[in-house]
Amino acid sequence: MPIEKVAVVGCGLMGSGIAQVAAQSGCQVTVREVSQPLLDKGLQSIEKNLQRLVDKGTLAAAERDQVRARLRGTTNLEDLKDSDLVIEAIIEQLPAKRELWTALDKICPKPTIFASNTSSLSITEMAMFTQRPDRFLGLHFFNPVPVMKLVEVIRTIATDPKVDEAAVALAARFGKTPVRTTDRTGFIVNRLLVPYLLDAVRALEEGVGSIEDIDNSMKLGCGHPMGPLTLLDFVGHDTTYYIANIMFDEFKDRRFAPPPLLKRMVAMGWNGRKAGRGFYDYSDPAKPKPLQFT
Ligand code: CAA
């Protein structure tokens, strides 16, 4: 089941990263966005990342040119019809995913494998939007995609083991370490990460420590690259809140219940780094300043 032609739907933070690593691995990549300005923004971010690698000397300029040549952008879904694999990385809303998968199921030939990069929605439910649940699975990448080494390969009870095998091989070709998991909300990483992040907010609410002290504790005491509140700002409070609610709905377990402070920060739009404000103020992105919450 060779995979050479990869389509990526969505060229935001995750989609652009996936398209980049796929093109760097030697695959022919077509990345699709809904509008030309969004596509241009995503392609520019790939270009910036590749240039950074060239400047650091980890990628030769000639290789960068080959990566560019393997990558094409489109706003037309029909252009994905020749793909061996389609990876979807669009907005985390089931109706939008339903519309996309229903359309792609008509456009792409039967052998094309479909994969979703969802972090929280049901792979099984999405597979049932198509006539090919046996060729449908999850491929969950981590932010920033070019740096993070893990890919969760998520099978449903209907996924053909050969499709699972092909996805595992592809993730390895992308330079990632694949882990196999089943379609349970949160898979492995978010199952463990989300309660940890929510607990950090609870600790802050209860006055266990300041923002900086909570972050430094986990950085310096446990060797994490970022403290949990910095990580929440990095992932986005809205994203974490959304995932936590879906997980709470699935497991009905308090560990996944978003704490009131997080809910209120989302209501304020204080969603972290991308909003310029979360647990830290990012007016100077190079020097985030912890904020006070009373
Ligand atoms: N794109 C590409 N490369 C990037 C990057 C980006 N957005 N951000 C950083 N890098 C690269 C840098 O160029 C640098 O490369 P070199 O070592 O080759 O020079 C390297 O990453 C380290 O970057 P920095 O020195 O600038 O900063 P850092 O050491 O603090 O690392 C980090 C930044 C990689 C983001 C690190 O802090 C980290 O690993 N943080 C944790 C991230 C994490 O947990 N991600 C998972 C989030 S959960 C998720 O994604 C799933 C979900 O479903 C919500």
Side-chain angles (χ1 to χ4, degrees), residues 49 52 56 119 140 142-144 146-148 190 193 225-226 231 234-235 243:
N49 273 341
R52 191 160 54 183
K56 278 194 308 206
S119 47
H140 186 213
F142 294 83
N143 180 25
V147 180
M148 304 309 282
N190 282 334
L193 178 66
M226 284 175 169
L231 185 53
F234 180 72
V235 172
I243 297 174

Side-chain angles (χ1 to χ4, degrees), residues 75-228:
T75 54
N76 185 0
L77 216 48
E78 296 281 341
D79 287 342
L80 311 188
K81 66 173 183 294
D82 289 332
S83 319
D84 300 319
L85 166 75
V86 178
I87 305 175
E88 166 271 312
I90 66 164
I91 187 168
E92 283 283 82
Q93 284 173 7
L94 206 55
K97 308 243 193 212
R98 181 194 291 125
E99 195 182 316
L100 177 72
W101 286 126
T102 309
L104 282 172
D105 199 36
K106 294 197 182 98
I107 292 169
C108 298
K110 192 80 185 103
T112 305
I113 298 173
F114 286 171
S116 175
N117 178 56
T118 185
S119 47
S120 53
L121 297 171
S122 162
I123 304 294
T124 308
E125 246 179 284
M126 272 184 262
M128 293 312 291
F129 298 150
T130 74
Q131 301 298 314
R132 64 186 85 193
D134 55 325
R135 304 189 71 75
F136 202 111
L137 82 176
L139 272 179
H140 186 213
F141 292 79
F142 294 83
N143 180 25
V145 178
V147 180
M148 304 309 282
K149 288 289 175 210
L150 189 77
V151 174
E152 290 178 314
V153 180
I154 304 124
R155 62 184 181 280
T156 72
I157 50 175
T159 307
D160 181 338
K162 289 200 194 81
V163 168
D164 190 45
E165 201 56 58
V168 165
L170 186 74
R173 177 173 171 185
F174 284 1
K176 307 295 181 192
T177 298
V179 288
R180 287 188 159 96
T181 184
T182 55
D183 184 27
R184 293 287 177 277
T185 304
F187 318 127
I188 297 174
V189 171
N190 282 334
R191 172 89 168 234
L192 301 174
L193 178 66
V194 169
Y196 159 68
L197 296 179
L198 300 181
D199 258 347
V201 182
R202 288 186 193 108
L204 180 70
E205 276 179 320
E206 289 165 21
V208 172
S210 68
I211 291 171
E212 261 178 321
D213 286 346
I214 289 172
D215 273 349
N216 276 334
S217 299
M218 296 311 290
K219 264 177 81 176
L220 307 178
C222 295
H224 290 194
M226 284 175 169

